[in-house]
Amino acid sequence: GRSRRPSRAFKTLAILLIALGALALTDAAVTLLWQEPFSALYAKLEQDHLRGALHKLERTSPSPAERRTLASLPDERRRIEFLARELQRRSGEGSPVGRILIPRIGASYVVVHGTDTSALESGPGIYSETGFPGIPGTTAIAGHRTTYLAPFRHIDSLRPGNHILLYMPYAHFTYTVIGQKVVAPSNVRAAVDDVGYSRLVLSACTPLFSAAKRLLVY
């Protein structure tokens, strides 16, 4: 009896190690072919929560002071810019601010304010160094390619002429892709610089499973 107990324990341990190895291989295969599944589940729950919060934000009417300012502005472009600046001013890091749709790659995600680690675990995030859509200048959005739902996994497939839609609570915007560039991760200016006209820049690490470079889609 004493000799059988250790062998039974070793057999149980071996089975557990085999199961853990199989799980690790499955996780690696799924990540390679699709995305990392455990972080994807977390991000899916976060997106569901953000979607409800965004819906509530979209139904919120301007304050009396904001209505008075809107009434004094001469055209729609100025009113949109005012509402964009107000939303950016009061949005905290990681809070939902809009939705991005990229028909070419089947992407549809709630966008958050900010690009710190926790913000990007919830969804694509607008760089704090850039303005919200409707504010003249650059709007830059970062997103993961292999983890946390991998919202930007296939942005390398975007071609000139493809459309990117941004649905903000105050206006809807349509952008047209004009090109791509690969830069060093330290070259933040390539994504956020003001170039004299309003534009959208998507930013993500490249190649897949590496942070060696940064892929920018303009």
Side-chain angles (χ1 to χ4, degrees):
R2 282 194 299 271
S3 63
R4 283 197 298 271
R5 277 194 291 272
S7 63
R8 195 174 297 128
F10 285 132
K11 183 178 181 181
T12 301
L13 178 61
I15 292 172
L16 285 174
L17 290 174
I18 291 171
L20 287 173
L23 182 62
L25 288 173
T26 301
D27 179 72
V30 171
T31 301
L32 183 64
L33 297 174
W34 178 56
Q35 58 178 285
E36 203 287 309
F38 297 107
S39 66
L41 176 60
Y42 172 83
K44 173 64 167 61
L45 296 174
E46 286 292 296
Q47 281 281 303
D48 289 343
H49 171 72
L50 292 171
R51 197 172 294 113
L54 179 62
H55 183 60
K56 182 178 179 180
L57 177 64
E58 290 169 337
R59 294 188 301 170
T60 302
S61 300
S63 68
E66 289 173 336
R67 285 199 294 269
R68 286 193 295 270
T69 301
L70 289 169
S72 69
L73 296 173
D75 56 53
E76 183 181 56
R77 185 179 296 273
R78 298 276 185 86
R79 291 191 287 272
I80 289 173
E81 180 182 348
F82 169 75
L83 291 172
R85 291 187 185 279
E86 286 296 294
L87 180 59
Q88 184 163 12
R89 179 182 61 82
R90 64 175 184 263
S91 295
E93 190 84 7
S95 61
V97 295
R99 175 182 292 279
I100 186 169
L101 286 85
I102 312 177
R104 162 87 180 186
I105 61 174
S108 176
Y109 298 94
V110 176
V111 175
V112 299
H113 184 202
T115 56
D116 67 12
T117 301
S118 61
L120 292 183
E121 288 174 357
S122 300
I126 298 179
Y127 279 77
S128 298
E129 301 93 325
T130 65
F132 280 16
I135 299 174
T138 296
T139 299
I141 302 179
H144 288 296
R145 296 189 70 199
T146 57
T147 56
Y148 297 101
L149 283 180
F152 285 178
R153 184 179 182 93
H154 299 296
I155 62 170
D156 58 325
S157 301
L158 294 176
R159 297 293 179 264
N162 293 156
H163 289 158
I164 300 170
L165 313 176
L166 277 178
Y167 292 166
M168 307 299 287
Y170 49 85
H172 294 174
F173 300 85
T174 300
Y175 296 88
T176 302
V177 175
I178 60 173
Q180 300 182 6
K181 181 189 290 187
V182 175
V183 301
S186 58
N187 188 4
V188 178
R189 292 187 58 184
V192 306
D193 266 2
D194 187 348
V195 293
Y197 59 88
S198 292
R199 66 172 182 169
L200 173 68
V201 182
L202 304 186
S203 172
C205 295
T206 197
L208 288 175
F209 314 107
S210 170
K213 297 288 185 178
R214 187 84 59 185
L215 172 63
L216 303 177
V217 176
Y218 297 98

